[in-house]
Amino acid sequence: MSMFCFQCEQAAQGKGCEKIGVCGKDPKVAALQDLIIYQVKGIGWLAHHARGLGKKNEVVDHFIIEALFTTVTNVDFDPDRLVRWIQEGGRIRKIAADLYREAESKSGGGADETAWPASALYEPATSLDDLLAEAASLEGVGVTEGVSEDIRSLRELLIYGLKGMAAYVDHAMILGKEDDAVYAFFHKALSAVCAPDISMEALLGLNMECGTVNLKAMELLDAGHTGRFGHPEPTQVPTGLKKGPAIIVTGHDLVDLEALLKQTEGTGVNIYTHGEMLPAHGYPGLKKYPHLAGHFGTAWQNQRSEFDGIPAAILFTTNCIQKPKESYTDRVFTTGLVAWPEIAHVADRDFSSVIEKAKVLGGPAADEEGATLTTGFARNAVLSVADKVVGAVKNGAIKHFFLVGGCDGAKPGRNYYTEFVEKAPKDTVILTLACGKFRFNHLDLGDIGGIPRLLDIGQCNDAYSAVKIAEALAAAFDCSVNDLPLSLILSWYEQKAVVILLSLLALGIKGIRIGPSLPAFLSPNVVNYLVENFDVKPISTPCLDLAEILEEKICTEG
């Protein structure tokens, strides 16, 4: 079987993966995920048209979000689970179709099913082999062919934006935060990409709208996190390991972490965060647990070396899983939407099997010392000292702010972000978020009048905090965000980074630098549009970029 996927920054040779995904997915998994997207487009089309006639269904709304999130890079690599998703999608499609038929009937019309797109009529086969055959034969499955390169580029950009936003919406749903207008946009956008004759102008508009709606999704998630766990507080986090049984939790889902902390109270099991879970230590509702013992390791792409040889159970809560080494497959567990073939999957947040494994393994035989990281500088923490920050800018103590962050990855060139932060002048402040921070969050950058030069805002899920900080500073200085002494230096890897970029563009933010490479799915004309309208530019070298931003030579390379 062949495949084609260019949705993430790892795309082979900067073009696309055709034999096996650099992420680890094989052609079977790629085909099944393509089939899920095809299926979701049809369900979205039906839901959109039913909504236009006043009918909607919560089950349909939720399935679309979860199915899209399932296809995000490094989430689900298990063909059997993907087959079950497709089978469930067949059931959901029938619900959506009946909803539309009912709405048409009540409006006095009749649903002309000959005018429906093929994906809205799709009834999946029952076996894996037959589904793979359908994925190979059905027109419209996978990256769209038969259209101009620019239309294809903008369609894929929108689909990847929807995938990324689905991750944020799913987390917010789990926390009980929903907005019907967000679901309505998903249906509208999925319906639009079914149209064979959609224009570039329409797709550009939908991509900008996707960015705007994602701001609402991130606001919902922020409300869910802060409402349940409190506002993050600046917190120092040890990276050493304590003697005794240990569970390492990676991914993004704070509700999973909370459930695990509750289930391990009084058991003698220590809990450690990994990767994007580091910011959990800043939340009062989570750091109150004394057995939330610290942070282990760095970013997701280092897991295969970091998890090898550690006598601890490992729990994956969302995306970021890589193929586990045989040396630790027996102590890896997945939960929620994340999955890997033959790896134990935990349902309904019953982590008893994970806890038992941790006890059997025993954990470190003695305390192991490590460094200390600091997190918890979300919007409330920063804005509580906004007057001090504004004063430091006005008196010249702070000359510039850099937001340096985003998704980390294994591809060469990401040392740029470490060097950029190291070479940034001492009268500048570095804001950071997401796992890109692990390129430099170990550095001691000092402070400016008591204001730390390195402020960790949180997960990629916390990009809303960065937006609110920027807007508050703009209000304080009575200017636009683009007029602030603020530059965005972003790294991207997967679809959540894509939708955050769309959100920043929808806000009108210009001059964003992105790296380590531009997305393979963007056509030259679409890149030119972003350059001409938003001054988006690729990173070059730290010294050249610093010189251009600050309008003076700061350093020399090497």
Side-chain angles (χ1 to χ4, degrees):
M1 286 182 68
S2 62
M3 60 178 281
F4 183 78
C5 181
F6 59 1
Q7 70 176 2
C8 82
E9 195 269 336
Q10 290 184 139
Q13 300 180 335
K15 297 178 181 178
C17 298
E18 299 182 284
K19 295 182 179 179
I20 192 164
V22 175
C23 66
K25 69 180 177 183
D26 62 25
K28 288 183 180 179
V29 169
L32 294 171
Q33 290 185 353
D34 287 345
L35 203 53
I36 288 173
I37 294 301
Y38 174 78
Q39 189 175 47
V40 166
K41 289 178 186 177
I43 295 170
W45 186 93
L46 291 165
H48 176 65
H49 284 76
R51 276 180 173 272
L53 297 169
K55 290 288 183 180
K56 56 190 178 183
N57 182 287
E58 185 180 77
V59 173
V60 173
D61 295 343
H62 290 182
F63 175 82
I64 287 174
I65 300 303
E66 292 175 337
L68 284 168
F69 192 5
T70 295
T71 68
V72 167
T73 303
N74 292 83
V75 176
D76 193 336
F77 294 82
D78 188 343
D80 291 338
R81 283 177 61 84
L82 293 172
V83 167
R84 291 198 292 273
W85 272 108
I86 294 169
Q87 297 303 326
E88 177 64 4
R91 185 181 76 85
I92 298 298
R93 186 208 66 84
K94 290 177 182 176
I95 292 173
D98 288 343
L99 197 69
Y100 180 32
R101 293 186 188 104
E102 179 188 353
E104 280 277 25
S105 178
K106 287 188 175 180
S107 70
D112 179 12
E113 298 186 22
T114 62
W116 292 10
S119 56
L121 295 164
Y122 171 60
E123 296 186 12
T126 56
S127 72
L128 171 61
D129 288 344
D130 287 343
L131 287 171
L132 293 174
E134 288 179 344
S137 63
L138 289 174
E139 184 178 351
V141 176
V143 176
T144 308
E145 300 291 346
V147 294
S148 75
E149 183 183 24
D150 297 331
I151 292 292
R152 183 178 79 164
S153 177
L154 290 171
R155 271 183 173 161
E156 295 303 313
L157 177 60
L158 179 57
I159 290 168
Y160 303 155
L162 292 174
K163 289 186 179 192
M165 179 163 49
Y168 301 130
V169 174
D170 183 66
H171 286 300
M173 282 182 351
I174 289 169
L175 289 157
K177 298 295 181 181
E178 302 182 63
D179 188 317
D180 192 59
V182 173
Y183 297 126
F185 175 74
F186 273 91
H187 304 161
K188 172 185 174 180
L190 290 166
S191 177
V193 295
C194 290
D197 55 353
I198 192 167
S199 66
M200 280 191 65
E201 291 74 16
L203 284 168
L204 285 168
L206 284 165
N207 273 289
M208 291 302 100
E209 189 176 355
C210 183
T212 299
V213 175
N214 185 58
L215 289 168
K216 181 61 181 177
M218 290 194 296
E219 181 183 7
L220 290 170
L221 180 54
D222 178 88
H225 280 156
T226 57
R228 183 153 177 166
F229 307 118
H231 283 276
E233 303 164 345
T235 303
Q236 290 192 323
V237 185
T239 60
L241 296 175
K242 294 182 178 181
K243 177 183 177 180
I247 299 174
I248 298 168
V249 186
T250 191
H252 302 76
D253 198 302
L254 300 185
V255 177
D256 288 337
L257 175 59
E258 179 189 43
L260 180 63
L261 287 167
K262 288 180 177 179
Q263 291 174 39
T264 47
E265 280 189 289
T267 64
V269 176
N270 291 315
I271 307 301
Y272 300 88
T273 56
H274 175 268
E276 283 269 58
M277 295 297 272
L278 169 63
H281 293 271
Y283 287 94
L286 296 173
K287 69 177 184 176
K288 68 181 181 182
Y289 293 93
H291 60 299
L292 181 58
H295 185 79
F296 173 81
T298 53
W300 67 272
Q301 75 275 6
N302 301 320
Q303 63 189 254
R304 282 170 57 83
S305 60
E306 292 176 346
F307 293 162
D308 195 16
I310 296 296
I314 302 157
L315 177 64
F316 283 87
T317 65
T318 56
N319 58 311
C320 296
I321 193 171
Q322 291 180 305
K323 181 179 180 179
K325 286 186 177 180
E326 288 187 15
S327 61
Y328 62 83
T329 54
D330 65 324
R331 49 195 170 88
V332 174
F333 299 81
T334 59
T335 193
L337 299 180
V338 66
W340 193 278
E342 300 180 7
I343 292 296
H345 189 81
V346 175
D348 302 320
R349 297 195 177 88
D350 176 3
F351 297 120
S352 55
S353 58
V354 188
I355 297 166
E356 184 60 31
K357 174 61 73 171
K359 290 179 177 179
V360 170
L361 291 167
D367 290 352
E368 301 174 7
E369 294 205 6
T372 299
L373 303 175
T374 304
T375 190
F377 291 99
R379 59 188 175 89
N380 249 37
V382 175
L383 296 182
S384 68
V385 294
D387 56 341
K388 191 174 182 179
V389 173
V390 171
V393 174
K394 288 183 176 179
N395 68 27
I398 296 177
K399 294 290 178 62
H400 206 86
F401 296 90
F402 295 104
L403 175 59
V404 186
C407 301
D408 203 4
K411 203 170 181 179
R414 291 180 180 267
N415 59 312
Y416 164 95
Y417 298 94
T418 310
E419 294 174 14
F420 187 99
V421 169
E422 288 176 326
K423 293 176 177 179
K426 292 184 179 180
D427 56 4
T428 63
V429 171
I430 310 296
L431 305 170
T432 190
L433 64 123
C435 59
K437 71 169 71 69
F438 288 104
R439 292 282 167 174
F440 48 79
N441 69 340
H442 60 285
L443 300 174
D444 182 4
L445 301 183
D447 66 88
I448 300 174
I451 301 168
R453 285 194 57 227
L454 179 60
L455 301 174
D456 178 7
I457 296 172
Q459 298 180 334
C460 63
N461 294 7
D462 298 313
Y464 177 77
S465 264
V467 170
K468 300 311 289 184
I469 290 169
E471 290 179 343
L473 289 174
F477 288 106
D478 192 24
C479 67
S480 72
V481 172
N482 287 317
D483 292 326
L484 286 172
L486 168 67
S487 300
L488 278 64
I489 319 294
L490 304 181
S491 57
W492 83 284
Y493 171 68
E494 39 90 329
Q495 298 81 64
K496 288 186 285 182
V498 170
V499 78
I500 288 174
L501 176 63
L502 291 178
S503 290
L504 295 172
L505 298 180
L507 287 169
I509 296 176
K510 297 186 177 182
I512 299 169
R513 282 173 165 79
I514 188 170
S517 61
L518 291 177
F521 54 81
L522 293 183
S523 68
N525 285 336
V526 172
V527 171
N528 288 338
Y529 175 86
L530 296 178
V531 171
E532 292 170 4
N533 289 274
F534 297 100
D535 194 26
V536 173
K537 57 192 73 179
I539 59 172
S540 58
T541 68
C543 289
L544 286 175
D545 287 345
L546 282 165
E548 182 178 332
I549 293 167
L550 300 175
E551 298 181 337
E552 62 176 308
K553 185 175 180 180
I554 300 300
C555 57
T556 56
E557 307 297 344

